[in-house]
Amino acid sequence: TVEYSGLTAGQEYTLKGVLMDKSTGEPLLDGEEQVTSEATFTPAEPNGTVDVLFTFDATGLEGTSVAVSFRSRSP
């Protein structure tokens, strides 16, 4: 869940996220691909939250700390 503030109500936004390995600072890989996700939404209010779901195989990640790096874009 991403909390946002100060957006323009009624304008479309896209959040793009990449999972990162906190110990290395490098993108988390699922096989050879970075683990990414995005959510496009149009806020009704300037402040709120939006869910961004990541789907990947977490096998072997026991003990790994993961963070999300986000970028937002509006047309």
Side-chain angles (χ1 to χ4, degrees):
T1 300
V2 177
E3 185 175 335
Y4 59 84
S5 63
L7 299 185
T8 301
Q11 181 172 332
E12 184 176 273
Y13 293 86
T14 301
L15 278 172
K16 294 184 178 189
V18 177
L19 291 186
M20 306 292 287
D21 182 327
K22 287 178 76 173
S23 67
T24 65
E26 296 295 321
L28 189 68
L29 299 179
D30 185 8
E32 294 184 19
E33 299 293 320
Q34 291 183 5
V35 180
T36 63
S37 185
E38 68 178 59
T40 299
F41 66 103
T42 304
E45 301 290 332
N47 305 321
T49 62
V50 63
D51 290 335
V52 182
L53 304 177
F54 290 84
T55 304
F56 64 101
D57 181 1
T59 303
L61 290 179
E62 295 83 9
T64 302
S65 293
V66 177
V68 182
S69 175
F70 276 109
R71 291 186 182 196
S72 67
R73 177 177 63 84
S74 62

